[in-house]
Amino acid sequence: MNEIRSNLDGQAHWRSALMDNYGTPGLTLVRGEGARVWDADGREYVDLLGGIAVNALGHAHPEVVRAVTEQIATMGHISNLYINPVAVEFAEALLDVAGLAGHGDGEAKGRVLFVNSGAEANEAALKITRRTGRTKVIACEGAFHGRTMGALALTGQPSKREPFEPLVPGVVHVPFGDVDALSSVVDSDTAAVVLEPILGEAGVIPAPDGYLQAAREITRRAGAMLVLDEVQTGFARTGVWFAFQRAGIMPDVITLAKGLGGGLPLGAVIGVGEAGDLLKPGQHGTTFGGNPVCCAAGLAVLRAIARDNLNDHVAALGKDISNGVEELRHPLVSGVRGAGLLIGITLREAVAPAVAKAVERAGYLVNPVAPDAIRLAPPLILTHEQAEGFLDALPAALDSAKKGE
């Protein structure tokens, strides 16, 4: 095996061995600790993207390392032909923090299906909606629900959909945040409305106040499901366990992934009430879903979030970062949006890639999620000092981008 010795060496190996669907990344990251990472040239960075909102406890967190090590040394995989106690324990813990635990009273308020990714979670949710006997599904323009064929049909971004059409039929897209537009298309043929509480891939655009509550009422009146895609917003990312709790509603289906496994591939679907009973034996499955090692990591993350009050930390630090960016009053910055540690910095010019590159040179990794928006989704354990360092470095990076450097 050839050893990668530098960033340039890593790029050469990448180009020769991997498909070109991602292009060729500029950095080869070889090590991480907490919210810091190091590249193949030995440079250190503060990771403000966290594997796209995945590394909830950062890199090499001792509790995740210990949980994964102990589990892989005990039992790595058994499939879903047998009961996996770790998956059962994690499912019960998820239902508890979602406010859906039955507490052994025999009445299931919610049920969990483990999968491997956010796209798979949304695929499973789409199949659940078909079990209602209806086939019309409403999603939003600008939304992102994944790249598999069913999830892609829900995704409201034509540039991602068009190369692979025809997709799953029956999906209608409406403008995000427009209550009247949503109400006008939801009818007795509608199986479900699928929404992101915050449009992550469109530039971190939160739902307007009252929109999720209106969607809940519109779907309830029509006898349709409300499916909330919390792949990016769930699991303490916005300063609460789930964004639907902030809105004060309960959806019928919740999809999760990203931070759920603390860096390991893990997704989940939570069916609330009757929605949790629609899939019958043989109607859906996954070989790796609920893998004991991934669930052990997820349990370690959940327990750390609860023990260390990370929801409160995320809410407070997110406000500090947002306020800090606004207080810079930089002419290139038009605003800050998002919730908790899912933050979008909007720009007056389409120079987000240049800003990201300039910030990288200063030792911080961010994501130019749109031509005029920078996304921050750092580990939930990011420190105030690390956030302040980013705020100190940002003005010079913005100046550099504006000058075209």
Side-chain angles (χ1 to χ4, degrees), residues 22 26 52 84 106 119 121 152 181 193 195 245 281 309 360 367 369:
Y22 298 113
I52 313 181
N84 165 6
L152 190 58
V193 172
L195 300 174
Q245 294 168 328
N309 297 315
E360 179 186 301
N367 174 227
V369 68

Side-chain angles (χ1 to χ4, degrees), residues 24-64:
T24 302
L27 293 183
T28 301
L29 299 182
V30 297
R31 183 168 67 91
E33 181 181 335
R36 298 178 299 158
V37 293
W38 286 262
D39 69 15
D41 292 335
R43 285 203 64 199
E44 178 183 335
Y45 306 84
V46 174
D47 181 4
L48 297 179
L49 184 57
I52 313 181
V54 167
N55 299 319
L57 300 184
H59 303 270
H61 191 281
E63 291 176 44
V64 174

